[in-house]
């Protein structure tokens, strides 16, 4: 059983490493956000005509794009970790909700 747990831990660590190399891009009216599968923000780009936007409008677009990218990153991470650990852990009640 310890070997299975160690194997699962190794698989989870490998998956986390792979998530660093996956990128999620979200664009909202010219504002583009790029983050990794682990949620690290890699890039934020604003439209070239950002001076024509009101401050609040630009802030809202950035907030919307970052929020959506983070949400997608969380979903990707959860599904990837669940997939990595599936079948590795013992079939115990409550263990299926671990990841």
């Amino acid at each position: 059983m310890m070997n299975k747990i160690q194997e699962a831990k190794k698989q989870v660590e490998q998956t986390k490493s792979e998530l660093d190399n996956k990128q999620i891009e979200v664009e909202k009216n010219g504002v583009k956000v790029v983050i990794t599968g682990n949620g690290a923000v890699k890039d934020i780009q604003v439209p070239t005509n950002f001076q024509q936007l009101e401050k609040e409008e630009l802030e809202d677009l950035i907030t919307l794009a970052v929020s959506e990218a983070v949400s997608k990153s969380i979903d990707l991470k959860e599904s990837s970790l669940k997939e990595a650990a599936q079948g590795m852990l013992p079939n115990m009640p409550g263990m299926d909700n671990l990841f």
Side-chain angles (χ1 to χ4, degrees):
M1 181 154 138
M2 289 302 288
N3 286 341
K4 281 244 187 222
I5 292 173
Q6 288 175 340
E7 190 177 332
K9 184 176 179 180
K10 186 177 181 179
Q11 184 66 34
V12 167
E13 291 304 316
Q14 181 180 347
T15 300
K16 286 181 180 180
S17 178
E18 290 171 0
L19 286 169
D20 279 333
N21 296 318
K22 292 187 180 182
Q23 292 190 341
I24 297 159
E25 294 183 17
V26 173
E27 186 173 341
K28 295 288 184 192
N29 294 340
V31 172
K32 182 178 173 183
V33 175
V34 179
I35 66 173
T36 68
N38 281 319
V41 176
K42 290 296 188 182
D43 190 31
I44 297 178
Q45 298 175 8
V46 295
T48 55
N49 67 338
F50 76 93
Q51 293 99 346
Q52 298 172 355
L53 300 173
E54 293 199 20
K55 178 181 180 279
E56 291 80 16
E57 184 180 4
L58 182 58
E59 289 171 344
D60 288 346
L61 290 173
I62 292 170
T63 301
L64 287 171
V66 169
S67 294
E68 184 176 329
V70 167
S71 177
K72 287 182 176 186
S73 173
I74 290 169
D75 290 346
L76 176 64
K77 186 175 184 176
E78 286 177 353
S79 66
S80 295
L81 290 175
K82 186 175 184 176
E83 183 178 315
Q86 196 169 29
M88 297 260 188
L89 296 174
N91 190 13
M92 295 170 50
M95 293 296 276
D96 57 337
N97 294 325
L98 190 59
F99 297 102

